[in-house]
Amino acid sequence: MYKIISTAIFLAFLSGCSMNAVQFQPDFDLVNELKDKDISKLVVGDITSTDPKVDQVSLRGSPMISPYNKSYADYLEVALKEQLVQANLYDKASTIEIRGELLENSVSAAGISTGTADLSARFEVRSNGDITFDKVKTIKHEWESSFVGAIAIPNAQNNYPVAVQKLILALMSDPDFIKAAK
């Protein structure tokens, strides 16, 4: 009985607290792929969002806050920079710039056995100011979850960066993006 009460108190406490999303880690498989492509060095411009809902991520009633200025658009901007830095393809002085707008940022730990993240962003590549690429990329990421919040919530936190990696992969594996980035 004591364990049940303790668990209920812990879960009630957990649901009332906010938590930070896990910081982005580059996808090193993509790093290696990018090194093999004939891509110019790029700069990452502003990634914005006009919809305040993209920054309102809730995992079973607990807000998950972006560690980058409390903005998931900034999260994506940092992630793009980190991915390019690791591939040695980032240069602040480049005339080829990636910009974007985060359109959807939905994360759910509500499933009994599956968690999900749905991300969507419009990306632009500009070369010397001219738009050479303009597409919306959308991904759905799923992972094993649990009915138990103490398992489901950390699983969702840990899978958010993986969803962002998938969004970046969707962008950087697009043949039109590669063409625009040369």
Side-chain angles (χ1 to χ4, degrees), residues 32-124:
N32 291 330
E33 286 179 36
L34 290 172
K35 286 180 179 179
D36 293 339
K37 298 184 187 312
D38 187 25
I39 295 177
S40 297
K41 293 203 177 205
L42 307 163
V43 65
V44 177
D46 288 336
I47 304 294
T48 62
S49 178
T50 57
D51 185 353
K53 290 181 194 173
V54 300
D55 289 323
Q56 298 171 358
V57 176
S58 178
L59 304 176
R60 296 195 179 184
S62 298
M64 184 172 79
I65 311 290
S66 168
Y68 306 106
N69 301 318
K70 298 182 181 181
S71 164
Y72 283 100
D74 285 356
Y75 191 109
L76 181 56
E77 186 176 315
V78 168
L80 281 166
K81 284 179 187 174
E82 283 297 315
Q83 196 68 59
L84 292 170
V85 165
Q86 290 302 316
N88 197 28
L89 291 172
Y90 183 80
D91 182 356
K92 282 183 179 180
S94 177
T95 59
I96 304 173
E97 177 185 44
I98 303 172
R99 291 183 181 184
E101 179 181 0
L102 185 59
L103 303 171
E104 181 182 9
N105 188 46
S106 173
V107 184
S108 175
I112 293 173
S113 62
T114 304
T116 61
D118 295 293
L119 304 179
S120 179
R122 173 178 297 284
F123 293 102
E124 285 183 358

Side-chain angles (χ1 to χ4, degrees), residues 111-177:
I112 293 173
S113 62
T114 304
T116 61
D118 295 293
L119 304 179
S120 179
R122 173 178 297 284
F123 293 102
E124 285 183 358
V125 174
R126 294 178 181 225
S127 181
N128 294 311
D130 296 330
I131 297 173
T132 57
F133 176 89
D134 184 355
K135 283 189 183 178
V136 173
K137 294 295 177 181
T138 302
I139 64 96
K140 181 176 191 79
H141 175 58
E142 293 184 347
W143 60 89
E144 188 176 319
S145 191
S146 173
F147 175 74
V148 179
I151 296 170
I153 292 171
N155 282 355
Q157 282 179 280
N158 291 328
N159 273 278
Y160 184 76
V162 177
V164 174
Q165 286 176 347
K166 285 185 172 185
L167 184 62
I168 292 171
L169 176 62
L171 168 66
M172 295 188 175
S173 62
D174 184 315
D176 293 332
F177 170 81

